[in-house]
Amino acid sequence: MEVHLSNLMGKLSIDNGASDLCDFSLAEQNALSEAHGITPSTSPDYLPILGKTVNYIVAFVLVNDANEILMMQESRESCRGKWYLPAGRMEPGEKIVDAAAREVLEETGLIVEITTLLLVETAGGLWFRFVVTGDIVGGELKTPEMADSESLQASWVADVSKLSLRSQDIVALINYGRLYKSTISVALWPRAMLPKPKAHTKSHLRLVLAIRKRATNRFHILYSEKQTSHYPTVEIHPERSIYSTLIKFMKEIFGADLPQHKPQGLFSVEHSPSEMASTATDGICLTLLVLFRPPLEEVSLIGKYVWEELQPEASHELEKLITAKHALIGLSVLR
């Protein structure tokens, strides 16, 4: 399993065996709700299908050397003349990077190469926005004379506060992009993380739970021993926030009195559209690093889970990753 962690820290994908290996499914979550007298509102057979039961949005944040942001002016009647980041809904059959590049070309006239996934925003388990950045490799910046149904124009903007924005929600994304731009050149950790092309029938949150052992000061990682050894994995509940799903799952592992912990960010995002139209689903898998505050000696486990001690080199690499800036993909859970 330590090889899996090394792959994650090296920005590679991991293989947990079956793509949809899961410790806490929707069926099990529903059974727990029923045991507490709560009638479940989501079918255990829920499947994420793009445009029907789940929405994936892409947004592109690019900061040039003058600290200007690439912006586009909306042409849609409902928000005509307003400004926004190049963004839009993914279409069935699209990969995240392809959707982002398409939106940028349509709305700004520029051809871009997507280089990294900056941030994932979630609102419940039905709405995800994948925020990416990249490099311009061609095209021509759209002028007012080139206006079409996609946008009126595109422009580099130094102060977006002077614009009439379609929504203020992109301000946080712009700030995140500028912070990334200002720190990546001196970052201690290589940062180029693209979505992993791996198909999932359902949507899962995979946990890398890290804790120090007081006696050795080394990190330990938690593994599930159900079926086969793997990172603890929970099916994302479509009607709850990611953090609500996380808390409920962790209570299944550690009991009601959860140890202090902090989500650090995402190691990876896995997604690939199904090639079979008859069984097309659009599941994703988010691999989240969670760091515990108390030492291992003070934390109890419930069920088939075990701590595995990392070797000194791997423990040191994990320490570097935790302290480095932008070493992980950001995760923002919206209310």
Side-chain angles (χ1 to χ4, degrees):
M1 293 301 291
E2 192 166 310
V3 172
H4 287 169
L5 183 64
S6 296
N7 284 342
L8 282 173
M9 292 193 293
K11 311 300 180 289
L12 303 175
S13 186
I14 66 172
D15 186 0
N16 255 1
S19 294
D20 289 318
L21 193 63
C22 183
D23 299 290
F24 196 33
S25 66
L26 272 181
E28 292 168 312
Q29 294 175 54
N30 284 349
L32 181 63
S33 295
E34 289 175 335
H36 289 86
I38 301 171
T39 301
S41 57
T42 300
S43 168
D45 299 324
Y46 164 81
L47 292 174
I49 301 173
L50 192 60
K52 295 181 179 179
T53 62
V54 69
N55 288 309
Y56 294 153
I57 313 297
V58 289
F60 185 79
V61 182
L62 186 60
V63 185
N64 65 16
D65 291 339
N67 203 35
E68 296 170 324
I69 305 294
L70 180 63
M71 299 286 289
M72 54 80 69
Q73 192 175 32
E74 298 279 7
S75 61
R76 287 185 300 169
E77 200 61 40
S78 61
C79 53
R80 189 176 181 84
K82 303 287 186 179
W83 289 83
Y84 207 66
L85 289 172
R89 295 179 183 273
M90 284 176 55
E91 298 176 355
E94 276 191 315
K95 296 179 180 179
I96 295 170
V97 293
D98 295 338
R102 173 183 56 76
E103 289 290 347
V104 175
L105 178 60
E106 291 174 350
E107 297 181 345
T108 73
L110 298 176
I111 301 170
V112 296
E113 178 183 359
I114 307 301
T115 57
T116 195
L117 181 58
L118 291 175
L119 179 71
V120 176
E121 293 183 302
T122 76
L126 297 174
W127 186 93
F128 295 83
R129 180 158 61 183
F130 305 102
V131 185
V132 301
T133 190
D135 298 320
I136 297 173
V137 295
E140 181 182 356
L141 192 67
K142 185 180 287 189
T143 64
E145 292 73 27
M146 301 162 66
D148 56 22
S149 61
E150 298 293 339
S151 66
L152 297 178
Q153 64 174 312
S155 181
W156 292 97
V157 180
D159 186 357
V160 296
S161 68
K162 294 181 179 179
L163 298 179
S164 176
L165 299 179
R166 189 184 98 191
S167 172
Q168 292 293 319
D169 66 330
I170 61 169
V171 173
L173 307 186
I174 291 169
N175 292 339
Y176 194 93
R178 279 183 162 146
L179 180 62
Y180 169 77
K181 173 75 172 181
S182 67
T183 60
I184 193 60
S185 61
V186 295
L188 298 177
W189 200 269
R191 176 61 154 82
M193 290 178 282
L194 293 172
K196 312 301 180 185
K198 186 173 182 179
H200 291 269
T201 303
K202 296 195 171 187
S203 292
H204 289 136
L205 181 65
R206 179 192 292 140
L207 303 183
V208 178
L209 301 169
I211 194 169
R212 286 187 188 274
K213 187 174 183 178
R214 183 188 291 121
T216 62
N217 201 37
R218 283 191 199 170
F219 279 111
H220 286 59
I221 302 297
L222 190 71
Y223 297 109
S224 170
E225 293 295 320
K226 297 179 181 179
Q227 301 180 49
T228 183
S229 186
H230 62 274
Y231 293 113
T233 303
V234 57
E235 187 173 352
I236 295 174
H237 196 292
E239 296 184 2
R240 296 177 185 154
S241 76
I242 288 287
Y243 285 159
S244 176
T245 294
L246 171 66
I247 293 299
K248 289 183 181 296
F249 181 39
M250 289 181 62
K251 286 183 177 180
E252 290 294 298
I253 301 173
F254 301 101
D257 189 16
L258 281 180
Q260 281 190 306
H261 60 277
K262 182 180 180 182
Q264 299 290 302
L266 298 172
F267 272 115
S268 67
V269 173
E270 297 173 5
H271 169 265
S272 184
S274 171
E275 296 181 356
M276 297 180 61
S278 61
T279 58
T281 60
D282 296 280
I284 59 173
C285 183
L286 309 178
T287 302
L288 177 67
L289 174 62
V290 179
L291 183 64
F292 285 89
R293 297 186 187 278
L296 181 146
E297 288 89 342
E298 297 178 8
V299 175
S300 300
L301 295 173
I302 299 174
K304 297 181 179 180
Y305 298 92
V306 295
W307 291 110
E308 182 174 308
E309 184 177 54
L310 295 182
Q311 294 299 312
E313 182 178 353
S315 186
H316 178 63
E317 288 299 303
L318 182 58
E319 174 87 43
K320 286 169 56 181
L321 182 143
I322 290 169
T323 56
K325 292 182 181 296
H326 294 288
L328 297 167
I329 300 163
L331 177 64
S332 177
V333 179
L334 307 176
R335 294 183 178 182

